Amino acid sequence: MTTITVAKGDGIGPEIMNATLKIILAAGARIEIDEIEIGEKVYLSGHTSGISDQSWEIIRRNKIFLKAPITTPQGGGYKSLNVSTRKFLGLYANVRPCASFYPFIQTKHPVMDIVIVRENEEDLYAGIEHQQTDEVVQCLKLISRPGCEKIIRYAFEYAKQQNRKKVTCFTKDNIMKQTDGLFHQVFNEIAAEYPEIENEHWIIDIGAAKMADTPELFDVVVMPNLYGDVLSDIAAQLTGSVGLAGSANIGEECAMFEAIHGSAPAIAGQDVANPSGLIQAAIMMLNHIGQNQVAEKVHNAWLKTLEDGIHTADIFKEGISTKKVGTQEFAQAVVLNLGKKPSVLKSVQHLNNYTLNLPKYRRRATAKKVLDGVDLFVHWNGTDANELAGKLQRLETGGIKLNVITNRGIKVWPDGFKETFCTDHWRCRFRPQQSLEISKIDIATLLTRAIEEDIDVIKTENLYSFDGKVAYSLAQGQ
Ligand code: NAD
């Protein structure tokens, strides 16, 4: 018997959770349910995180969490509980299988069986955003070596365990050479340890286009958080409906299982939602807790129900489906099919325990880090970069000189183009003139002089090289 935490969530959440629990309990799942309340009601009762401390305790004690979708109220500074749960509990791997069920569910892509492995803890989802000038807001994209190593190794180990042939990586490292560049570099390093598994990298834009056009070319696909979020919805929709896919959020100690879709408020309370995504999530949960035979029984009964043409509205098609059913009737049909197998779709066999035991991250030796310069970000309402350069040159001290000014990344001084549109947010790079290194005292002096000259410095970024390798981007056009 395993005690699991269950949250019925918002919108269609309670309907699809009741349907899912009914099926897995009828299949003989040996689970004890600890129910907690999370989401909209909790947010609006004054917990800006959408969850109480007591519920956190229950989740941490039970370690296994089956969660229905929740509604994050828009505006008002409410943080997404989904994102905080993944990060608080260290659920670094978000595994989202998306397969077609042709000819029983209409799809443009009859041959499709992709597993998206989405990094789940970092990237732009750090949610660190600032406004420091009238015109510009920013969001910090954080990618770490441990984050990359964990998710990419997970993708290869998953492929190995599931007997999959290829792992593809999607990034945009032609533009984001540091952040996506690190993800791609770590992918190459880890791929080399798995010669038996084919590997490839695609730039995300053409990779996504290719996936939408010929998904049969892809197998396991690993990518940073935001790309994985977007592409897994697309992949699920390609199979027929976003309501079909489930996901496992896996960490070293805890795991959370959920549908990939949201709370679909427009159809809530109408008994029309497809519970399949949450059923898929529950199947992954049963495998995770070692109840593989129950998982297999539910999975085969669910496939048989799809094959019987008993479909909810989102996948119902005249000529293919035999009966349009609501959420609870669909669940009842799956229960009646428990013990049966599909005859055309491939029946599944869940034999092994799906837990992957990955090595703990080992920190590398620290590199030799040299301070090469500093970027001062300045709020300035002028338009002529030459005028700003004149002001900034008054800050120059000893060997430190103004090197370049950019606006939204493009070089505007020296030798800018008059056609370039400029905002009130200027990056002003200072570099040492002769030596290769500056000191933090130099930066403090620059800042003090900026205050004296009434220049509004809104932030600074230190420029480093690590083991002699420049570790910051050049200006576009430099
Ligand atoms: P959504 O996934 O809720 O809905 C998108 C579309 O898909 C809608 O047309 C909806 O009716 C349909 N749909 C979704 N699930 C379905 C199902 N099971 N059966 C049939 N049709 C289904 O996305 P949204 O409208 O962008 O978001 C609604 C709310 O859900 C927002 O508050 C958002 O923050 C939240 N959300 C929660 C989660 C989560 O809890 N993991 C994930 C995504 C969005």
Side-chain angles (χ1 to χ4, degrees), residues 66-79:
L66 182 63
K67 184 187 135 308
I70 56 169
T71 302
T72 310
Q74 297 271 301
Y78 297 109
K79 281 292 204 187

Side-chain angles (χ1 to χ4, degrees), residues 271-273 310-313 316 323-331 333:
D271 191 42
V272 294
I310 299 174
H311 293 166
T312 43
F316 182 86
K323 190 173 183 199
K324 191 190 276 184
V325 291
T327 315
Q328 303 315 319
E329 200 179 342
F330 181 82

Side-chain angles (χ1 to χ4, degrees), residues 171-191:
T171 71
K172 186 79 183 168
D173 68 335
N174 53 332
I175 303 296
M176 285 162 278
K177 296 178 168 58
Q178 294 293 323
T179 49
D180 283 22
L182 176 62
F183 198 92
H184 188 175
Q185 181 192 327
V186 173
F187 178 78
N188 289 344
E189 288 167 16
I190 292 182

Side-chain angles (χ1 to χ4, degrees), residues 149-447:
E149 285 193 11
K150 285 195 298 183
I151 192 66
I152 292 165
R153 191 170 294 287
Y154 187 95
F156 277 95
E157 283 294 323
Y158 177 91
K160 193 165 134 184
Q161 183 199 57
Q162 302 285 322
N163 206 15
R164 287 182 171 260
K165 306 291 174 239
K166 183 165 81 173
V167 180
T168 304
C169 175
F170 282 177
T171 71
K172 186 79 183 168
D173 68 335
N174 53 332
I175 303 296
M176 285 162 278
K177 296 178 168 58
Q178 294 293 323
T179 49
D180 283 22
L182 176 62
F183 198 92
H184 188 175
Q185 181 192 327
V186 173
F187 178 78
N188 289 344
E189 288 167 16
I190 292 182
E193 295 177 35
Y194 296 85
E196 71 283 14
I197 298 172
E198 196 187 330
N199 72 79
E200 63 179 7
H201 172 269
W202 290 83
I203 299 289
I204 176 87
D205 38 7
I206 188 61
K210 203 84 188 151
M211 192 188 86
D213 184 54
T214 39
E216 64 274 17
L217 295 181
F218 297 98
D219 193 343
V220 174
V221 191
V222 65
M223 57 193 113
N225 204 340
L226 176 62
Y227 308 145
D229 190 359
V230 177
L231 288 207
S232 53
D233 269 28
I234 295 174
Q237 192 67 42
L238 289 179
T239 69
S241 167
V242 73
L244 287 170
S247 75
N249 297 262
I250 306 289
E252 280 170 20
E253 289 196 29
C254 301
M256 173 172 81
F257 301 86
E258 57 181 346
I260 73 160
H261 58 76
S263 55
I267 57 167
Q270 298 168 28
D271 191 42
V272 294
N274 189 344
S276 296
L278 195 56
I279 297 170
Q280 288 306 305
I283 291 168
M284 289 192 261
M285 178 191 76
L286 290 166
N287 278 320
H288 186 82
I289 60 177
Q291 299 189 22
N292 310 94
Q293 282 171 5
V294 187
E296 189 177 309
K297 200 167 164 188
V298 173
H299 204 157
N300 284 326
W302 177 76
L303 288 171
K304 173 83 171 79
T305 309
L306 296 183
E307 239 183 48
D308 291 344
I310 299 174
H311 293 166
T312 43
D314 57 320
I315 53 171
F316 182 86
K317 277 279 167 318
E318 279 311 336
I320 298 177
S321 312
T322 55
K323 190 173 183 199
K324 191 190 276 184
V325 291
T327 315
Q328 303 315 319
E329 200 179 342
F330 181 82
Q332 185 56 30
V334 177
V335 169
L336 291 175
N337 277 333
L338 287 169
K340 296 186 193 155
K341 289 192 172 165
S343 39
V344 176
L345 294 171
K346 217 165 132 227
S347 65
V348 290
Q349 247 189 328
H350 294 302
L351 291 177
N352 44 2
N353 185 329
Y354 286 95
T355 312
L356 298 172
N357 290 315
L358 303 189
K360 282 232 180 281
Y361 172 73
R362 291 197 20 221
R363 186 166 277 169
R364 297 175 158 205
T366 47
K368 182 169 167 15
K369 182 173 157 189
V370 172
L371 188 57
D372 280 354
V374 64
D375 281 344
L376 304 191
F377 287 79
V378 170
H379 181 183
W380 185 61
N381 285 332
T383 50
D384 179 359
N386 292 317
E387 186 188 336
L388 179 61
K391 290 173 184 290
L392 291 164
Q393 279 165 330
R394 292 207 286 272
L395 311 184
E396 290 177 349
T397 62
I400 298 180
K401 296 268 174 254
L402 180 67
N403 170 256
V404 65
I405 302 176
T406 69
N407 197 294
R408 292 184 298 173
I410 186 81
K411 184 184 76 166
V412 291
W413 181 92
D415 309 322
F417 288 9
K418 71 175 174 28
E419 292 85 350
T420 305
F421 181 82
C422 291
T423 67
D424 60 0
H425 186 271
W426 307 79
R427 176 180 61 168
C428 311
R429 176 161 293 178
F430 286 83
R431 298 284 319 273
Q433 205 178 21
Q434 262 125 34
S435 70
L436 289 175
E437 206 170 344
I438 67 167
S439 77
K440 287 197 177 149
I441 298 285
D442 293 323
I443 298 175
T445 309
L446 272 178
L447 288 174

